[in-house]
Amino acid sequence: EVQLVESGGGLVQPGGSLRLSCAASGFTVSSNYMSWVRQAPGKGLEWVSIIYSGGSTYYADSVKGRFTISRDNSKNTLYLQMNSLRAEDTAVYYCARDWTPGSGYGYWGQGTLVTVSS
Amino acid sequence: SYVLTQPPSVSVAPGKTARITCGGNNIGYKSVHWYQQKPGQAPVLVVYDDSDRPSGIPERFSGSNSGNTATLTISRVEAGDEADYYCQVWDSSSDHRVFGTGTKVTVL
């Protein structure tokens, strides 16, 4: 069974850093397209970043240069390093896996809340 | 950047048909995916690649895509279908994934 479990969220001050983790089971992270998607309180879904099976990475303009997506194959875990955090980064962050490559997000974690506030 | 526009809300009576649109420039040339999200829960993929359904999704959920509009159709609507729905595509020009603005479906 495919499972995704996020962790690492919490309260951080503006300008601070946080690293989110997404532990996967039931499949191999490095063989799949993995993404981070966020949702600000009361708002819609926003795509954040993707890492392809080949290792290429892409970012939304709103986080480019501040966030870094990566994976640890030995731990079968996806990460999101978030630096220079802003109030507008406050959101629930979900990790997600494609149903099949390119066919939408068929698997989601439960989400982890990041709050950026002084 | 590529923009997907959805109506903020759709209301439908039980047993009737709900249609949720997703507008984008030449969206008919892209593969569209649809998600259902209930309060406090992660989204669920209900339609992928315009009109395919993942295993476990009822046949009442169907999709179409042509021109500048993609549509998610929910037939024989039930109270449990009340949720937010989002469309999503891949923008090949930027290699970004894009979500629609979301539609809240209310069952009367």
Side-chain angles (χ1 to χ4, degrees):
Chain A
E1 179 190 7
V2 171
Q3 283 198 331
L4 297 167
V5 179
E6 301 99 334
S7 61
L11 175 63
V12 61
Q13 292 188 339
S17 298
L18 212 55
R19 188 179 80 158
L20 306 183
S21 300
C22 173
S25 58
F27 72 99
T28 302
V29 164
S30 61
S31 299
N32 285 272
Y33 297 177
M34 299 295 299
S35 296
W36 289 96
V37 176
R38 69 183 181 183
Q39 186 169 36
K43 303 298 183 182
L45 300 173
E46 179 186 15
W47 174 79
V48 173
S49 181
I50 189 169
I51 182 167
Y52 288 108
S53 52
S56 298
T57 59
Y58 295 89
Y59 300 90
D61 292 346
S62 57
V63 307
K64 192 171 184 179
R66 300 188 298 124
F67 290 11
T68 303
I69 190 171
S70 64
R71 64 192 182 202
D72 184 328
N73 297 345
S74 66
K75 296 182 178 179
N76 208 34
T77 297
L78 179 73
Y79 299 101
L80 185 68
Q81 177 67 44
M82 304 185 295
N83 299 330
S84 303
L85 283 162
R86 307 166 180 168
E88 53 264 36
D89 296 318
T90 294
V92 173
Y93 285 73
Y94 296 100
C95 69
R97 197 206 96 174
D98 280 13
W99 175 248
T100 61
S103 290
Y105 297 114
Y107 303 96
W108 297 73
Q110 84 286 355
T112 188
L113 176 62
V114 173
T115 303
V116 184
S117 175
S118 55
Chain B
S1 60
Y2 194 77
V3 176
L4 294 174
T5 302
Q6 299 180 233
S9 62
V10 166
S11 298
V12 59
K16 299 299 186 182
T17 298
R19 294 180 178 85
I20 305 162
T21 58
C22 175
N25 186 40
N26 289 322
I27 195 173
Y29 290 107
K30 300 181 182 297
S31 290
V32 180
H33 319 300
W34 291 92
Y35 304 87
Q36 175 194 69
Q37 187 182 32
K38 297 182 179 179
Q41 298 183 17
V44 173
L45 182 67
V46 293
V47 167
Y48 68 96
D49 291 349
D50 296 340
S51 58
D52 291 331
R53 281 184 311 277
S55 53
I57 300 300
E59 291 183 5
R60 301 185 298 104
F61 289 84
S62 62
S64 63
N65 184 20
S66 179
N68 292 315
T69 305
T71 303
L72 174 69
T73 301
I74 311 173
S75 304
R76 303 180 299 283
V77 166
E78 302 174 356
D81 298 331
E82 189 162 283
D84 294 325
Y85 291 83
Y86 297 89
C87 57
Q88 180 252 311
V89 301
W90 172 58
D91 177 19
S92 59
S93 66
S94 63
D95 217 331
H96 289 184
R97 300 207 174 173
V98 181
F99 284 96
T101 50
T103 298
K104 180 175 180 61
V105 170
T106 299
V107 181
L108 301 171

